[in-house]
Amino acid sequence: MSKTVIGISDLNIADPPGEGSVITYALGSCIAICLYDSVAKIAGMAHIMLPASKECPTDRNMKKFADTAAVELVRMMEMRGARRVRMKAKIAGGAQMFKVLSDAANIGRRNTQATKDILRSLLIPIVAEDTGDDFGRTVEFFSANGILQVRTAKMGNWEL
Amino acid sequence: MSIGSYDQVNNLHLDILREIGNSGAGNAATALSMMLDRRIEMAPPIVRLTPIADIANALGGPEVMVVGILCHLAGDLEGMMMFVLEQAFAHQIINQLLMREIYSYEDMDDMDFSAIREIGNIMAGAFATALASLTGLTIELDVPGIAIDMAGAIMNVPAVAFGTLGDYALYIEEDIIEGTQQLKSRLLLIPTLDSLNAIMRSLGFGA
């Protein structure tokens, strides 16, 4: 089974549909936005770093921000035959790795909120979520069944 | 020319930062030697501008467990400073300072964390002192935060701070040499762009 690695500020689709998976390593405050069309068996993942593209008007990397990356991922999945109305989302990440950061600077929480906002406006329901806390997560998303595996260094592993 | 984004940092700027890195490493070696009561040297630092996406690979891959120590800079210079140490280094410090053998993260207690935090404090102070004395700027440091987790998740913190400034980060490799052992330590120095320009100006470069 082929495993497609998603870097930071990156997105892609599991290939081939129904068999491959997408994986991203060591999410901290970043979020993995995972979208699945269970009919087409297309699974896509975006690893976003910041909440909103409007905070960095000169930055054209649409894969970096929750709002633009989610839209781009949907577009990419639709081009491969997925339908937005059939998509369901699972999201993970958004941790706060260092406690000293003030609450206002909790980028993980802001990323989580921005992700929920954009998915709501795209009318894609979030069926599972593992966000917040203070530990890193590696996540792998399987196109065969839409399962999201979460691995951590300190807390063990689980599935969403 | 003032620096408008980290993408515009050039070799001259890097040379200056390397000099600050050298001086900071010297201070840190002295302070560590005193604290651990043995001779510690620092390898000559390597200063680079590194794509943010590559930083997590610096200590052997994104899932490798590391110790991260994060400080905020205030005063004339604003930004963040983060040390990332390989776990073996953290264990070594605890072994020598607290005279107990630990082998993994699970073995660490509050006392051990506070020892690591103290090391972070010393190293951050050593670099801040170097920076302040070379530039004549006033730098205030807060009490460092500490986290032990996957390298990717920890290095992500300053990467996010950089993320709003550009796709590159200032990255300093400064290994610690103790006897025959070389322990990996990494420093991410993240002044805001205004502060980076302030450093250059204070040294007579830039507008």
Side-chain angles (χ1 to χ4, degrees):
Chain A
M1 270 201 308
S2 94
K3 199 188 267 194
T4 303
V5 177
I6 312 294
I8 299 171
S9 305
D10 187 17
L11 55 84
N12 214 333
I13 294 172
D15 189 58
E19 291 179 38
S21 64
V22 272
I23 185 167
T24 198
Y25 295 101
L27 293 159
S29 60
C30 295
I31 303 262
I33 305 174
C34 306
L35 303 181
Y36 188 57
D37 176 338
S38 60
V39 175
K41 301 232 180 273
I42 291 175
M45 182 189 286
H47 179 150
I48 63 101
M49 202 160 114
L50 292 167
S53 54
K54 65 175 190 300
E55 289 178 25
C56 313
T58 58
D59 196 323
R60 305 202 185 279
N61 185 356
M62 61 170 65
K63 297 174 182 177
K64 193 189 275 187
F65 306 98
D67 54 352
T68 45
V71 170
E72 175 61 14
L73 182 61
V74 167
R75 192 191 66 79
M76 193 187 221
M77 289 172 67
E78 282 179 331
M79 278 184 43
R80 293 285 295 271
R83 297 278 305 278
R84 182 158 61 94
V85 291
R86 295 195 297 242
M87 289 180 195
K88 304 238 185 317
K90 295 183 177 183
I91 63 175
Q96 186 181 20
M97 301 304 296
F98 289 89
K99 292 211 170 59
V100 291
L101 292 177
S102 69
D103 218 43
N106 188 339
I107 194 80
R109 188 174 304 151
R110 289 177 54 222
N111 279 338
T112 306
Q113 192 54 50
T115 298
K116 289 179 177 175
D117 291 346
I118 185 65
L119 290 173
R120 187 180 311 114
S121 72
L122 290 166
L123 304 172
I124 299 172
I126 297 172
V127 294
E129 171 185 357
D130 177 26
T131 58
D133 282 311
D134 63 351
F135 52 84
R137 298 167 172 88
T138 286
V139 296
E140 184 169 7
F141 193 41
F142 295 89
S143 68
N145 48 20
I147 283 177
L148 183 67
Q149 273 183 1
V150 180
R151 300 206 301 261
T152 73
K154 297 192 285 196
M155 312 298 288
N157 309 326
W158 51 86
E159 284 185 354
L160 301 178
Chain B
M1 191 189 83
S2 80
I3 302 164
S5 91
Y6 270 94
D7 303 358
Q8 294 167 14
V9 172
N10 62 29
N11 280 332
L12 172 66
H13 301 134
L14 287 180
D15 275 343
I16 294 165
L17 293 162
R18 200 165 287 131
E19 201 40 52
I20 292 167
N22 265 322
S23 169
N27 289 355
T30 309
L32 278 178
S33 300
M34 282 170 69
M35 182 169 174
L36 297 174
D37 197 21
R38 60 176 68 201
R39 186 176 167 79
I40 306 279
E41 288 176 78
M42 307 284 281
I46 298 166
V47 179
R48 271 203 294 258
L49 207 55
T50 302
I52 286 174
D54 295 346
I55 292 179
N57 294 320
L59 283 172
E63 289 190 295
V64 170
M65 287 283 271
V66 299
V67 180
I69 299 158
L70 182 74
C71 266
H72 289 86
L73 309 176
D76 293 340
L77 283 188
E78 292 181 352
M80 278 184 198
M81 188 159 27
M82 187 161 89
F83 291 94
V84 185
L85 315 173
E86 65 177 336
Q87 256 201 318
F89 181 27
H91 295 167
Q92 188 113 347
I93 289 168
I94 292 163
N95 293 347
Q96 285 172 16
L97 207 58
L98 301 173
M99 300 297 171
R100 62 194 224 97
E101 293 284 317
I102 66 153
Y103 302 99
S104 85
Y105 167 76
E106 282 84 20
D107 298 337
M108 287 179 65
D109 63 18
D110 285 352
M111 186 81 145
D112 300 332
F113 277 108
S114 94
I116 301 289
R117 194 190 308 267
E118 189 50 34
I119 296 289
N121 227 346
I122 286 172
M123 294 186 59
F127 275 87
T129 305
L131 197 51
S133 62
L134 284 170
T135 58
L137 300 168
T138 307
I139 303 170
E140 291 156 25
L141 289 175
D142 68 352
V143 177
I146 181 168
I148 301 184
D149 209 307
M150 297 190 269
I154 286 186
M155 294 195 148
N156 179 256
V157 173
V160 165
F162 265 117
T164 56
L165 303 171
D167 290 321
Y168 292 87
L170 284 174
Y171 171 77
I172 304 173
E173 284 183 30
E174 25 126 40
D175 290 352
I176 291 160
I177 301 165
E178 195 232 335
T180 55
Q181 264 189 308
Q182 185 146 350
L183 298 160
K184 284 183 197 161
S185 118
R186 301 288 179 265
L187 172 66
L188 290 157
L189 181 64
I190 310 142
T192 61
L193 282 173
D194 284 349
S195 297
L196 184 58
N197 281 311
I199 294 172
M200 297 303 157
R201 263 200 313 276
S202 70
L203 295 170
F205 300 95

